[in-house]
């Protein structure tokens, strides 16, 4: 904020930074499919339809299953896939273990990315996660304890990759394009969830549940090859970047340390994951209703960054406070990921991917409009222009918050419910 941004623009969609966004989209797609794979495969892995008929089912808790030969094959599907005797408590621990791994690496991975480079951190995290996904069927044969260990380490690897990508954007994303670039990259998670939910059950039924892990683990390995070949930490080091794009990126970014510039992105990643954990905790313990949780996190994700944005012009004299507020703004705004952003899954699960695509489209439009508006305001007067930008963003947030608090719902809407076939009586009534 101590000088006007360069007016010369680099190439947009036909550029390396947008290619980076697409590759990162593919990376996020891969990681979410690997994370959700077990949730799809577990239905076939435990064969829950016969769970209660097993004479040797453990009733002593999840870890008793592990030491009572819990991985013995008890049946084979037509696809020759092994089925395991895992109690619901054991399954719960397996599902949660990957989240524990992610939490463990949130802070250390951001620090390590500043030392070893975000490219290496993200690539290594994605590669480890992919290899462990391929290893999961074999781990299940050895026992549930090994599956828990694999899932925990896989969570740590994905935590490394998730944090590392935000460090890369600190050097690749011009301030007026960060919304567009990060949205393109982040939408890979939503698209991956849609794909794994659509084809995961089909793969399990036709090929057997192990192929869910083999297919998406192999996809991750291909993505790693692409990542290590094409991506560089710094645009200055990339051998294929054009002079025009390099000048555009470097002139638009403030000259500061990589660790400092990556802190807002690390805060965003941390708040996204921790917010999701807290929201699910409140729901699982029945502490708050679903609608309350959605509106609570929407309020936090819109109100807190608005307060920080409004306060920025008044603390400009303090470098430390300004940096703290600039870190908190993207961090706290990501709490919305546990609020209205996933509300489509509540009100219309059948059309969640379609509605998410529409909302992402509006997000891209908002990124374009906000970039144009910001450029116009700061071109009038640089100092007062930035102040007006902060005030305007806070006003938009408040409008959205009031709108959602007033109209937001969590019940499945009538138009999104499954349509049942009309009975003969219904047809007769209609004819009458």
């Amino acid at each position: 904020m101590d000088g006007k941004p360069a007016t010369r623009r680099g190439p947009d969609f036909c550029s390396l930074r947008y290619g980076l966004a697409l590759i990162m989209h593919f990376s996020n797609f891969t990681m979410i499919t690997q994370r959700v794979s077990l949730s799809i495969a577990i239905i076939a892995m435990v064969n829950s339809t016969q769970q209660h008929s097993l004479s040797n089912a453990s009733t002593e808790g999840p870890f008793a299953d592990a030491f009572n030969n819990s991985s013995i094959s008890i049946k084979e599907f037509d696809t020759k896939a092994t089925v395991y005797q895992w109690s619901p408590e054991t399954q719960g621990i397996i599902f949660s273990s990957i989240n524990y791994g992610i939490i463990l690496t949130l802070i250390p991975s951001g620090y390590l990315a500043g030392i070893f480079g975000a490219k290496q951190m993200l690539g290594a995290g994605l590669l480890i996660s992919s290899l462990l996904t391929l290893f999961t069927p074999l781990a299940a044969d050895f026992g549930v304890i090994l599956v828990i260990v694999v899932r925990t380490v896989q969570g740590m690897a994905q935590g490394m990759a998730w944090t590392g990508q935000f460090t890369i954007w600190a050097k690749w994303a011009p301030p007026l394009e960060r919304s567009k670039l990060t949205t393109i990259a982040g939408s890979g998670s939503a698209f991956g969830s849609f794909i794994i939910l659509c084809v995961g059950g089909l793969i399990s039924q036709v090929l057997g549940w192990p192929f869910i892990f083999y297919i998406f683990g192999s996809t991750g390995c291909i993505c790693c090859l692409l990542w290590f070949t094409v991506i560089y930490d710094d645009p200055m080091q990339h051998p294929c970047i054009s002079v025009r794009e390099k000048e555009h990126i470097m002139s638009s970014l403030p000259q500061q340390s990589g660790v400092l510039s990556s802190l807002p992105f690390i805060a965003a990643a941390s708040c996204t994951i921790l917010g999701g954990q807290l929201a699910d905790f409140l729901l699982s313990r029945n502490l708050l209703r679903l609608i309350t949780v959605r509106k609570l996190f929407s309020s936090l994700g819109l109100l807190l960054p608005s307060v920080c944005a409004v306060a920025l012009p008044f603390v400009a004299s303090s470098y430390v406070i300004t940096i703290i507020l600039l870190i908190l703004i993207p961090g706290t705004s990501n709490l919305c990921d546990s609020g209205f952003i996933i509300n489509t899954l509540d009100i219309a699960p059948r059309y969640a991917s379609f509605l998410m695509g529409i909302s992402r489209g509006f997000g891209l439009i908002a990124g374009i409009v906000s970039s144009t508006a910001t450029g116009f305001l700061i071109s009038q007067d640089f100092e007062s222009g930035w102040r007006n930008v902060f005030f305007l963003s806070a006003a938009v947030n408040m409008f959205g918050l009031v709108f959602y608090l007033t109209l937001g719902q969590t019940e499945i809407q009538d138009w999104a419910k499954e349509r049942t076939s009309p009975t003969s009586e219904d047809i007769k009534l209609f004819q009458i």
Side-chain angles (χ1 to χ4, degrees):
M1 295 173 54
D2 55 351
K4 283 193 175 185
T7 57
R8 183 184 180 184
R9 294 182 56 82
D12 286 335
F13 291 102
C14 296
S15 62
L16 274 176
R17 61 187 184 279
Y18 279 90
L20 170 62
L22 291 176
I23 295 176
M24 205 168 288
H25 173 97
F26 187 33
S27 300
N28 287 325
F29 167 89
T30 301
M31 286 190 289
I32 196 66
T33 55
Q34 293 173 358
R35 191 184 311 175
V36 180
S37 291
L38 185 62
S39 301
I40 304 297
I42 197 72
I43 300 172
M45 292 174 71
V46 301
N47 190 23
S48 59
T49 57
Q50 296 191 6
Q51 183 85 10
H52 300 291
S53 64
L54 299 175
S55 59
N56 62 341
S58 173
T59 58
E60 300 178 6
F63 290 102
D65 294 340
F67 297 104
N68 287 327
N69 205 19
S70 62
S71 290
I72 293 179
S73 173
I74 60 175
K75 183 185 173 185
E76 290 187 351
F77 285 105
D78 295 337
T79 53
K80 307 300 181 183
T82 309
V83 182
Y84 306 98
Q85 181 189 338
W86 291 344
S87 68
E89 292 85 355
T90 301
Q91 297 174 43
I93 292 179
I94 294 174
F95 287 141
S96 61
S97 57
I98 193 170
N99 295 319
Y100 294 136
I102 292 174
I103 293 175
L104 287 174
T105 55
L106 281 178
I107 304 302
S109 59
Y111 175 76
L112 293 175
I115 298 177
F116 298 105
K119 172 186 176 178
Q120 306 301 327
M121 289 291 296
L122 196 153
L126 182 57
L127 179 60
I128 293 172
S129 177
S130 301
L131 293 177
L132 290 176
T133 300
L134 293 171
F135 179 69
T136 299
L138 182 60
D141 286 336
F142 279 96
V144 69
I145 293 295
L146 184 57
V147 175
I148 294 174
V149 172
V150 167
R151 293 284 288 179
T152 302
V153 177
Q154 187 177 22
M156 296 174 66
Q158 291 203 1
M160 292 165 48
W162 179 254
T163 308
Q165 63 179 284
F166 290 97
T167 306
I168 286 182
W169 286 129
K171 292 185 178 181
W172 275 92
L176 299 184
E177 298 178 23
R178 283 175 180 169
S179 297
K180 289 182 285 186
L181 292 170
T182 56
T183 300
I184 293 172
S187 62
S189 297
F191 184 58
S193 299
F194 167 69
I195 293 298
I196 186 67
L197 292 174
C198 286
V199 306
L202 182 63
I203 294 173
S204 177
Q205 183 178 4
V206 175
L207 302 176
W209 64 260
F211 280 87
I212 300 178
F213 299 97
Y214 297 151
I215 290 174
F216 292 105
S218 300
T219 302
C221 292
I222 296 173
C223 184
C224 287
L225 180 63
L226 186 64
W227 180 266
F228 284 115
T229 304
V230 178
I231 302 304
Y232 283 75
D233 284 317
D234 196 321
M236 295 293 293
Q237 301 172 354
H238 204 291
C240 300
I241 190 172
S242 66
V243 175
R244 181 186 177 191
E245 183 178 8
K246 184 187 299 185
E247 291 178 352
H248 171 63
I249 294 175
M250 299 310 297
S251 63
S252 61
L253 293 176
Q255 300 302 311
Q256 53 189 341
S257 68
V259 175
L260 183 61
S261 60
S262 67
L263 288 179
F265 300 100
I266 295 174
S270 302
C271 287
T272 298
I273 297 175
L274 294 177
Q277 297 296 314
L278 179 57
D280 286 346
F281 173 81
L282 294 173
L283 291 173
S284 63
R285 299 300 176 89
N286 294 320
L287 298 177
L288 295 175
R289 296 184 303 141
L290 179 59
I291 184 64
T292 306
V293 170
R294 293 289 180 256
K295 291 188 175 181
L296 171 62
F297 280 89
S298 297
S299 300
L300 293 175
L302 292 172
L303 184 60
L304 293 178
S306 298
V307 172
C308 294
V310 171
L312 268 174
F314 303 101
V315 297
S317 59
S318 174
Y319 177 79
V320 175
I321 297 179
T322 300
I323 292 297
I324 292 175
L325 292 178
L326 289 174
I327 293 172
L328 289 177
I329 288 175
T332 53
S333 64
N334 276 36
L335 293 173
C336 290
D337 286 0
S338 300
F340 67 84
I341 290 181
I342 61 171
N343 203 184
T344 54
L345 291 172
D346 304 322
I347 64 172
R350 291 180 62 198
Y351 307 110
S353 58
F354 173 72
L355 295 175
M356 183 63 73
I358 295 177
S359 63
R360 291 288 184 182
F362 278 109
L364 289 172
I365 294 174
I368 297 172
V369 173
S370 63
S371 300
T372 304
T374 300
F376 173 77
L377 290 173
I378 62 177
S379 66
Q380 305 301 312
D381 182 86
F382 189 74
E383 185 174 348
S384 63
W386 275 113
R387 182 175 64 248
N388 293 333
V389 168
F390 296 139
F391 290 167
L392 180 60
S393 64
V396 172
N397 279 355
M398 290 302 96
F399 173 79
L401 177 58
V402 173
F403 184 86
Y404 182 72
L405 291 178
T406 304
L407 302 176
Q409 300 180 25
T410 53
E411 299 81 11
I412 297 181
Q413 303 299 293
D414 292 337
W415 51 266
K417 293 180 179 178
E418 295 282 352
R419 300 297 178 89
T420 57
S421 301
T423 63
S424 58
E425 295 182 358
D426 293 331
I427 296 175
K428 290 179 181 179
L429 289 174
F430 179 76
Q431 292 174 345
I432 294 174

